[in-house]
């Protein structure tokens, strides 16, 4: 941190950088970019910005007001480890060229405003986030959709369904069975070197990695955990994380996906989000006398998360596929309660350590298809709302909720059953997001319209392959 434009230009010269890649994120959360020769980048570009067509970016401008500016943030400079031509990447903020103001629909600006709002409340000065983004690595991915057909086909050398297959004239076995992919050593875990290379590439890009391992599902489900960081920094890192995972996988002849539920009948990919608040270098979520060593502040933060969870999931679990994951039976956190150690609750309190610095909450419902700038900001805003209003969560449940009787479960709120339900919840409950001008009504309206018109309805109007199995002979 603390890089200046001069430092960036010196870095370009020192490392003989040939190209500069400027990057920013659209509303759904995909990294966008364009490049310029390194010799063309000037100090003025960090002040005046570089022009681009905002009408071609999802969720941004109309065609009659398309001109926008990207303004590189010098603190984000890193040498891209995935490119052969020496390239320096810069993450950018978006600005309106007419008013000169920061663009309200820029997800990174929203994340920055959330951090500022937290400081202005006086509650805390830092929100730390530690997302655990899971993903699959496949050997073969095919899908298509037309007026008279629709299909997808996934394959993995590691998939248990290949235990009886002829794999190029032989079959070497050793495949994780369904739901048994957690922590086996090679040769059962065939992806050790792939994850290690991903980890090394992440470290080269400035991401501090704590651990990597195979995940529960068969067919190449993986997880690489980053060390926690402040909200905006972690959102930047998560975007880099996904970029590096996808590109490293491709170098190994694999395809990575962060889809929450690519496989039927096995665990999906979530993004459990560890969160804590600090002030003046001191953790605020710890109380030696509280349940699970939680302070009142932490409990109220949880109250805010659980109260606003249906609306939050429109942003934190933002795809139709997200709700294929949020179903019973696959360790999915569908119960809006909290508990220590209990992975069947939407909010878990990790108990690996009793250190005050380790006291945090883990919101388990988000998945890695979310836009991290929007998702982290929304979770923080819900937590702040809980603290300000002293919202008490339901009593903690330290039992396996999946094993409770129907009568015992009757009073437990669940996560929404579909993206449509979550979007309706967000439309009805978003005042907490507007506090401090962090989100704006325009952003919420744009987001809802995009999700409903470009995603929700597009899935709803197409026949599903399983409908033929159920209804063709009706």
């Amino acid at each position: 941190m603390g890089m200046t434009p001069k430092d960036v230009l010196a870095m370009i010269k020192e490392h003989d950088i040939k190209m500069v890649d400027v990057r920013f994120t659209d509303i759904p959360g995909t990294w966008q970019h364009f490049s310029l020769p390194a010799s063309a980048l000037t100090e003025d570009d960090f002040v005046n910005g570089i022009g681009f067509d905002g009408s071609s970016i999802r969720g941004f401008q109309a065609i009659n007001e398309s001109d926008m500016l990207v303004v590189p943030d010098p603190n984000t400079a890193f040498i891209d480890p995935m490119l052969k031509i020496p390239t320096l990447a810069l993450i950018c903020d978006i600005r309106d060229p007419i008013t000169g103001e920061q663009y309200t629909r820029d997800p990174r600006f929203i994340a920055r405003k959330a951090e500022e709002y937290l400081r202005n409340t006086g509650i805390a000065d830092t929100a730390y986030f530690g997302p655990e983004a899971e993903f699959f690595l496949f050997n073969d991915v095919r899908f298509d959709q037309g007026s008279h057909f629709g299909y997808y086909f996934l394959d993995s050398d590691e998939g248990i369904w290949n235990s009886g297959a002829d794999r190029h004239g032989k079959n070497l076995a050793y495949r994780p069975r369904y739901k048994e992919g957690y922590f086996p050593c090679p040769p059962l875990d065939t992806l050790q070197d792939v994850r290690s290379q991903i980890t090394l590439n992440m470290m080269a890009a400035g991401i501090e990695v704590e651990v990597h391992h195979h995940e529960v599902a068969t067919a190449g489900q993986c997880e690489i955990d980053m060390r926690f960081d402040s909200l905006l920094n972690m959102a930047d890192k998560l975007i880099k994380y996904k970029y590096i995972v996808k590109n490293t996988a491709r170098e190994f002849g694999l395809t990575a996906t962060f889809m929450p539920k690519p496989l039927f009948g096995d665990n999906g990919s979530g993004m459990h989000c560890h969160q804590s608040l600090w002030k003046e270098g001191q953790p605020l979520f710890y109380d030696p006398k509280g349940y699970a060593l939680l302070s009142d502040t932490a409990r109220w933060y949880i109250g805010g998360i659980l109260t606003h969870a249906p609306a939050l999931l429109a942003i934190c679990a933002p795809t139709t596929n997200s709700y294929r994951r949020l179903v019973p039976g696959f360790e999915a956190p569908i119960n809006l309660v909290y508990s220590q150690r209990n992975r069947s609750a939407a909010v878990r309190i990790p108990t690996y350590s009793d250190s005050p610095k380790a006291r945090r909450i883990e919101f388990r419902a988000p998945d890695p298809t979310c836009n991290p700038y929007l998702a982290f900001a929304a979770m923080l805003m819900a937590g702040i709302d809980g603290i300000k209003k002293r919202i008490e969560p339901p009593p903690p449940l330290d039992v396996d909720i999946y094993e409770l009787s129907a009568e015992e479960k009757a009073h437990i709120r669940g996560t929404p059953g579909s993206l449509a339900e979550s979007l309706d919840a967000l439309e009805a409950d978003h005042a907490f997001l507007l506090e401090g001008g962090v989100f704006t009504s325009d952003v919420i309206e744009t987001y809802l319209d995009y999700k409903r018109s470009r995603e929700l309805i597009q899935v709803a109007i197409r026949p599903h392959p399983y409908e033929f199995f159920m209804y063709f002979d009706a």
Side-chain angles (χ1 to χ4, degrees), residues 153-201:
F153 178 83
L154 308 174
D155 199 13
S156 164
D157 288 347
E158 203 185 67
I160 188 59
W161 57 80
N162 279 317
S163 61
D166 182 343
R167 306 300 287 176
H168 314 294
K170 61 181 177 179
N171 192 323
L172 299 178
Y174 292 111
R175 293 181 174 88
R177 291 177 287 270
Y178 292 110
K179 296 190 179 185
E180 294 186 20
Y182 195 67
F183 277 21
C185 284
L188 209 61
D189 176 4
T190 66
L191 299 167
Q192 171 71 18
D193 283 342
V194 182
R195 290 194 308 273
S196 291
Q197 187 60 58
I198 294 171
T199 296
L200 293 174
N201 289 340

Side-chain angles (χ1 to χ4, degrees), residues 25-27 59-62 103-107 109-110 442-443 446:
T25 308
D26 63 12
I27 287 290
F60 276 22
Q61 294 293 89
Y103 185 43
T104 56
R105 296 186 195 175
D106 175 9
F109 181 42
I110 292 169
D442 172 66
V443 167
T446 299

Side-chain angles (χ1 to χ4, degrees), residues 308-418:
H308 297 298
L312 282 179
L313 289 187
I315 298 172
C316 299
T319 68
T320 57
N321 187 254
S322 299
Y323 300 85
R324 316 284 192 231
R325 167 183 169 253
L326 294 174
V327 295
F330 298 93
E331 299 185 23
I334 59 174
N335 302 291
L336 295 179
V337 295
Y338 80 109
S339 173
Q340 59 182 343
R341 304 177 66 183
N342 189 349
R343 284 172 164 79
S344 63
V347 175
R348 183 179 76 97
I349 314 304
T351 57
Y352 300 119
S353 168
D354 60 2
S355 167
K357 294 181 178 180
R359 198 56 19 187
R360 61 194 186 276
I361 70 115
E362 177 193 31
F363 186 34
R364 296 174 58 80
D367 68 58
T369 58
C370 71
N371 182 326
Y373 300 102
L374 301 182
F376 295 169
M379 285 184 270
L380 177 61
M381 294 300 289
I384 291 173
D385 191 59
I387 294 169
K388 290 173 67 175
K389 295 177 180 176
R390 300 192 172 192
I391 298 175
E392 289 291 344
L397 283 179
D398 294 327
V399 297
D400 184 347
I401 301 171
Y402 301 128
E403 298 300 322
L404 295 179
S405 68
E407 183 178 354
E408 291 171 316
K409 291 180 181 178
H411 301 293
I412 299 175
R413 291 171 64 227
T415 54
S418 68

Side-chain angles (χ1 to χ4, degrees), residues 434-455:
L434 305 180
E435 292 293 320
V438 174
F439 287 77
T440 64
S441 295
D442 172 66
V443 167
I444 300 297
E445 291 166 7
T446 299
Y447 187 86
L448 289 171
D449 178 70
Y450 179 87
K451 286 292 176 180
R452 285 169 170 160
S453 64
R454 298 283 293 275
E455 296 182 18

